[in-house]
Amino acid sequence: MKSFNQRALALAIHLTLATGALAATGSAFAQDSAPKADQGSAKSLETVTVTGSRIRSVDVETAQPVFTMTHEDIQKTGLVNIGDILQSLTVAGSPSFSKASVLTSNAEQGGQYINMRNLGENRVLVLVNGKRWATSINGYTDMSTIPSALVERIEILKDGASAVYGSDAIAGVVNIILKDHYQGAEASGYIGENDHGDGTQQAYSFTVGSKTEKTSVMFNASYTKEDAIWSKDREITRYTYGPNHSLDGLSGTGVWGRFQTVNPKTGGGTGQTYRLDHTGGFDGDGVGANPRNINSYRTTLDYPNDYYNSIDQMNWSPSNELKSIFTSVSHQINDYVTFKSTASYSERENDRQIAGYPLNSRSQPTYPVYISGQSYYNPMPGQDLYFYRRTIEQPRGTFNNTKTYHWDADFEGGFELGSHHWNWDAGINYNKSDVDITTTGNLNLINLKKALGPSFLNSNGVVQCGTPAAPLATTQCVPFNVLGGPTASTPAMIDYVMTRGTQVIQSLSKEYTANITGGVFNLPAGELSMAAGYEHQAISGYDHPDALSSAGYSTNLAGPGTNAKYNIDSFYLEFLVPILKDLPGAQELSADVASRYSDYSIFGSTVKNKYSLTWRPVSDLLVRATYAQGFRAPTLGDTFGGGTQTFDYYTDTCDTTVGAAATSPAIASNCKAAGVPANFHQTDVNGRNVSARNVQSTTPYNAGVGNANLQPETSISRTAGFVYSPAWVPGGLDISLDWYDIRVVNDITAVSASYVLDQCYVQAVQKFCNDFSRDPNTHQVVGLNRGNLNMGMLRTSGYDYGVSYRLPKLSWGQLTASLNGTYLTSYDQRSTSQSDIAGYVGTYWYPRNKATFGVDWANGNWGATWSMRYYGAFRDFCFDENECNQPNYQSPSWTGGIGANRKGASTYHDVQARYSFPWKGVLSVGVKNLFAKEPTITYSVDNSSTAYLNPSLDLDRYFYLQYTQKF
């Protein structure tokens, strides 16, 4: 930690020499109910708009559960990105795009998202100042592009709100409220580092603003950088299944060549496998034998030396750099009209590395590549060879450059209509995201085929492509000694066979809005208020991969491009109706009703409604309930996506051994009528007849193909709860409890290859028969397209609770304690309308309990925070009988077989201390994961991480220092 201490000290000295005290309250102290200060401001009859409603009101406690984090709360987290901050909340589920993801060519790489209720990041609506933020063509909103230094507060609506905001607001709404004015200047600097001395984070921000009686101008520039963490640098991340199973996760495709002769019928390998008899271990740093001599090969397996630990070349988390600027202006034109506008630009660069490509002759079966019998490097001259070899000489890398643009402009004002006040606004909201993806480490199959083709030793003693009678110049071809391993490769060989892939993606939205809200007339219990508005959205986007990858001439996953656009016209209406007031048992009783009509140019119209009830039997107790209909429109990728290549695991329905045709004469007859022979057998990736169900395909299929017939997902959200703030308790006590139940139907689900085949041969649906073809010679399925259908279901329910107590201020300071948590009662999923409902509560991603607890102390210029993050116990797959503490566990949803391994709960401790200097500077130092608790090894994590660790848990102890200076 010496390097970190030196940098931290330098940062503190540098910023301290400059000349705002920054108040701080940790995220553990954010509340579902309004702070007392806000209640006080309500008495001044200043109206506000709270997330979940369009109606301006003096009451900040609403019928829907809204969790609020202030700027002071955020400062206590020790986090500098909004995505990381929200991920620490108990309402956040496990991230689909974690830092440990090894997915390549992924437009979301490096972004930060929130998976509320584990319903998916694209089922959360993200607003900034009440306006939609930029989303990708697959519906994800990257919150790292929002300047965290300008956040005034974050309001998280833990309920559906499609009737108010439209599509995507199924799991909830995140509304990030930024400062709307600033007087003076402020600079802040942050540096943090893991206990292992890596993963260093830096963040710098500068804000300047000026405000006059009518005009306000503000500007902010921010920069954050996070260094990579390498999996090989920690014992717990160095092996796929953890240090206790260091050999179990090794890849069978090692760095030294092996080959078989080619099966002329299937194109796969056949006969004996020959392995280069190298020296050295599986790390690939040994010296290879002569790969041209068949005597340098053996036919026996040397385990584990013939295998490879691919994690040695992988990032655990990639490097990430973000630069952004933000500006806002407000000008009061006259007493009735004000103009407001904000604009921002951010550029994110993310660089990830994974292991070299596990190459074989049919890495791209549509363009197979073999070692020619005439290759100079062929140890069996005259015989074409099927080969395997991992190209660690150039690891695969993905570099994402993402540029996000935002601009909005509004005219707003107010007027009196009789005795009632009205507010209106009209404006435009513009968002654009441009993503440039560059990939390295994949192979150019056209060049590779030439490099493995005929070659000879010329008169100069140099191996040359072609034949002596028809040589190829070095500018046309460079022979590749693929079986010789990394020690036999030359830079010229690697440069010739490798390729640089590119992909360009854009998402663009333009939104035109007009809104009005105000009082209509007075009822005995108060004023009946309403809000109404119109919105027009024009959404478009594209995804253009490079020509080589798109055509399938690269080992990069192929896929055609995407071009898409559609329009939406929406109208909404909302009423807030006071029913009773100031009566025994009914200090307040009111109802909120909202409805939204949306017309989509691609699938038609939809109407969604919301009903809410607020009841205050006594002044200290608020009881609330909501019933809301929701929907999520198909994304551009869902509807228009060209798809991407994938190697599916599936069972061919027409297989006469393991397929449905083996037991059903009717299905066998359907297969025969389609031209499939009576003794047909599916073959695996190596060309062998299968003997088990669900084996990997012999050809890549096109997955995620757009479906123009998709309809919106729909949902029903129900909540009920209370907020209790007893005035008789000294200090300030707030208690909240809310029950929630969310059901999503018509879930947009990616169908499997098996489903496509079953629909064709079992259900006789001709549409699905058109989605694939069969090889005329082998009758194997080829060219299958599988896309998305509205046929799934998701349902989750549980309880959110919170307790916050601010003790009376004493001579030794102010003490505040807070507890927030979620108890999950169910999480059910069904992939199709015919399949069984699978329950996942209590398993890997879905622990029953998550909670945070914190204590904050403040006394004058000093302050300190201690907080705990609790992630509950869960069931995991059993690795073997030695790691199976519940061997008799059975569940209809369990995919890991009989038995389960219960993993205990994890608790992480965080501490922070801070001091406010007389010259308006604040210094904060802290430690996250104080006791260096390691994450839980979780075998049921899918293979999107370099090691099977729960990405929701901390990897390391983390130190940070932050200084903020106001001028």
Side-chain angles (χ1 to χ4, degrees), residues 51 100 113 312 391 544 758 791 838 895 960:
T51 303
Y113 315 88
D312 279 346
T391 54
H544 296 159
D758 286 347
M791 61 180 187
T895 57
Y960 66 90

Side-chain angles (χ1 to χ4, degrees), residues 158-415:
K158 299 181 289 185
D159 194 6
S162 292
V164 177
Y165 298 112
S167 179
D168 306 335
I170 286 181
V173 179
V174 176
N175 190 8
I176 301 168
I177 312 298
L178 303 181
K179 295 182 175 71
D180 60 0
H181 66 274
Y182 198 88
Q183 184 67 42
E186 177 179 300
S188 66
Y190 173 100
I191 188 168
E193 191 169 88
N194 287 317
D195 203 10
H196 280 71
D198 57 6
T200 301
Q201 293 188 67
Q202 302 176 61
Y204 307 96
S205 176
F206 177 74
T207 304
V208 62
S210 178
K211 186 178 187 330
T212 65
E213 184 178 349
K214 290 190 174 183
T215 304
S216 173
V217 179
M218 182 174 60
F219 172 83
N220 172 267
S222 301
Y223 173 82
T224 60
K225 182 180 180 181
E226 184 174 357
D227 294 339
I229 297 175
W230 292 90
S231 296
K232 63 183 179 181
D233 292 340
R234 286 168 175 76
E235 193 70 12
I236 195 171
T237 58
R238 180 171 166 74
Y239 304 102
T240 301
Y241 297 105
N244 293 332
H245 301 281
S246 60
L247 301 182
D248 294 299
L250 300 181
S251 169
T253 302
V255 303
W256 306 102
R258 76 181 194 270
F259 69 87
Q260 299 170 316
T261 55
V262 176
N263 185 330
K265 182 178 180 180
T266 66
T270 186
Q272 185 66 58
T273 298
Y274 296 83
R275 302 174 185 273
L276 187 64
D277 191 11
H278 60 86
T279 60
F282 58 79
D283 287 330
D285 54 2
V287 178
N290 180 5
R292 294 184 60 235
N293 188 342
I294 191 62
N295 294 324
S296 295
Y297 294 82
R298 49 181 160 74
T299 58
T300 57
L301 173 65
D302 180 13
Y303 180 82
N305 293 330
D306 287 334
Y307 281 51
Y308 179 66
N309 186 9
S310 58
I311 287 182
D312 279 346
Q313 287 191 307
M314 291 187 178
N315 294 138
W316 168 256
S317 65
S319 63
N320 202 64
E321 187 174 16
L322 177 68
K323 295 166 283 189
S324 65
I325 56 174
F326 179 92
T327 185
S328 68
V329 61
S330 173
H331 178 69
Q332 183 180 344
I333 298 173
N334 54 42
D335 291 342
Y336 306 99
V337 180
T338 299
F339 173 77
K340 291 184 177 181
S341 179
T342 64
S344 72
Y345 167 81
S346 67
E347 181 174 359
R348 173 167 49 81
E349 294 181 340
N350 184 272
D351 195 357
R352 172 175 287 284
Q353 178 179 302
I354 64 174
Y357 192 85
L359 182 64
N360 67 66
S361 288
R362 300 188 70 183
S363 293
Q364 179 58 278
T366 58
Y367 194 80
V369 177
Y370 309 102
I371 300 175
S372 168
Q374 301 180 63
S375 170
Y376 175 80
Y377 296 113
N378 190 326
M380 298 180 68
Q383 174 66 60
D384 291 346
L385 302 180
Y386 189 109
F387 70 92
Y388 306 79
R389 213 265 273 174
R390 185 179 292 273
T391 54
I392 67 168
E393 298 94 316
Q394 186 174 110
R396 283 170 289 171
T398 305
F399 178 80
N400 282 25
N401 179 277
T402 304
K403 299 180 178 69
T404 303
Y405 307 82
H406 169 83
W407 174 70
D408 64 71
D410 292 274
F411 290 95
E412 61 181 49
F415 60 90

